[in-house]
Amino acid sequence: MATAVITGGTDGIGRALADTYLGRGHQVLVIGRDREKGQAFVDAAGGRARFLPADLALVGESRRALAWIAETYPRIDVLVLGARFHRSTRAETAEGLESNFALYYLSRFLFSHGLVGPLSRAPHPVVLNFGGAGQTGPVRWDDLQLRRNYPGTGALGHGAKLCDLLGVSFTRIHRDTPIRYVLNHPGVVATSFAGEYDRVAAAQVELLKATGKTAEQAVAQILPYLDDPPARLTAVLEGRRVPTDTGSFDPAEADRLHRITQELLAGLPR
Ligand SMILES: NC(=O)c1ccc[n+]([C@@H]2O[C@H](COP(=O)([O-])OP(=O)(O)OC[C@H]3O[C@@H](n4cnc5c(N)ncnc54)[C@H](OP(=O)(O)O)[C@@H]3O)[C@@H](O)[C@H]2O)c1
């Protein structure tokens, strides 16, 4: 049976994708922190659905989750990286990492590279990462964890830029596998906008919720690219393919970020 693993699958676009793949007969694992939402998904879906509670902002929990997933699912056909949590004010995790950097980028780095084995056993494996599709940037090379002038909502954009570069380095490193990598910027989508917002950002979020497309519309825009990815690396902006041979997807920058990330992870306790 085909398998879909979806971080952030308890809500928003991730949940809509989880429902879509269940409808197609996949077994679906969703990962999030909210046990009620996770259980609601399992209850609504029946035997092919599972929920794994994990705080993916913590490297230790991401690693534990990955070990369990790799043991439980020898083959993964679809990996969706959708967990995010916005903070208007900078915060650090218990491991001392900036929370948005840790969740939006580092957990996606760990999940992408950490599941290459099970992904490679699927006939047409695909990873969907909600990056910036070339629309965000530049990288703050001297301040990846946003210590100075924390940009509020811009922190998500910075994480999305890092995810674009993750897609570039991933497809270079794993070029001998069948895995295809899709970077998607869905535009404004009326979801839960999980996060802790100050007054101004909260008002902006309410506006976005009132004007955004539905999660189902966002899924309809990206699904054709997941079903038949046109290239090893594909970037999609609101259903439109974006070229990846531009400066936004610079392989040298991608290599640099990959090296920095490996060093950072090597310095964390196992
Ligand atoms: N919505 C938009 O307008 C928009 C625009 C551009 C890009 N995107 C991108 O699209 C993707 C999906 O966004 P969305 O709006 O659909 O999401 P959302 O409704 O805000 O839901 C976020 C998901 O992340 C999970 N999550 C949050 N913190 C977590 C943590 N520490 N550990 C594990 N899971 C965690 C939540 O699960 P729990 O509640 O169970 O913890 C939830 O399932 C994101 O990458 C987002 O940046 C969205």
Side-chain angles (χ1 to χ4, degrees), residues 7-14 31-35 37-38 51 54-58 81-85 103-104 108 130-131 156 184-195 208:
T7 77
T10 55
D11 219 325
I13 309 169
I31 307 166
R33 286 181 306 179
D34 188 317
R35 286 171 189 270
K37 285 194 279 184
F51 166 60
D55 181 352
L56 301 181
L58 295 171
L81 305 171
R84 63 100 171 246
F85 192 88
L103 178 63
Y104 206 124
R108 296 177 186 204
F130 289 90
L156 288 178
N184 180 38
H185 187 320
V188 179
V189 189
T191 64
S192 77
F193 282 86
L208 295 176

Side-chain angles (χ1 to χ4, degrees), residues 21-46:
Y21 282 110
L22 268 179
R24 290 177 169 196
H26 288 52
Q27 57 179 344
V28 179
L29 173 72
V30 299
I31 307 166
R33 286 181 306 179
D34 188 317
R35 286 171 189 270
E36 259 180 48
K37 285 194 279 184
Q39 196 53 48
F41 171 69
V42 172
D43 290 346

